[in-house]
Amino acid sequence: MKITSLEQIPSAPMQMAGAVGVTKQVPLGVADGVPNFSFRVFTVVPGGHTPYHIHDSEHLNYVIQGEGALVNEAGEFH
């Protein structure tokens, strides 16, 4: 079991073509010996965004603070 705080996790600009104003932290992932699961925290500044994209596996978006829109096949959700 890994116990950490987000303040201890390095933050880096998101490396995705079309991403603007987005940083990423990975509190739990492959580097922690977890090959099939990744917990990632994205910080999006006002006006920031990622391009439309899809994932091959299950995906969860959880907004902690602020507001935005998520877009999928069913439409746009604020």
Side-chain angles (χ1 to χ4, degrees), residues 21-37:
V22 182
T23 57
K24 178 172 92 170
Q25 294 168 279
V26 184
L28 188 65
V30 174
D32 300 297
V34 185
N36 300 313
F37 179 80

Side-chain angles (χ1 to χ4, degrees), residues 4 6 11 14 28 33-34 37 43-44 46 49 59-60 62 69 71:
T4 189
L6 200 52
S11 178
M14 185 174 180
L28 188 65
V34 185
F37 179 80
T43 301
V44 183
H49 63 274
H59 194 77
L60 169 72
Y62 184 85
V71 179

Side-chain angles (χ1 to χ4, degrees), residues 17-77:
V20 175
V22 182
T23 57
K24 178 172 92 170
Q25 294 168 279
V26 184
L28 188 65
V30 174
D32 300 297
V34 185
N36 300 313
F37 179 80
S38 179
F39 177 66
R40 302 171 296 171
V41 176
F42 295 93
T43 301
V44 183
V45 300
H49 63 274
T50 60
Y52 180 80
H53 60 281
I54 59 174
H55 297 268
D56 293 332
S57 60
E58 292 83 3
H59 194 77
L60 169 72
N61 289 287
Y62 184 85
V63 178
I64 297 172
Q65 181 179 337
E67 58 186 73
L70 297 172
V71 179
N72 70 13
E73 304 82 21
E76 186 170 306
F77 301 88

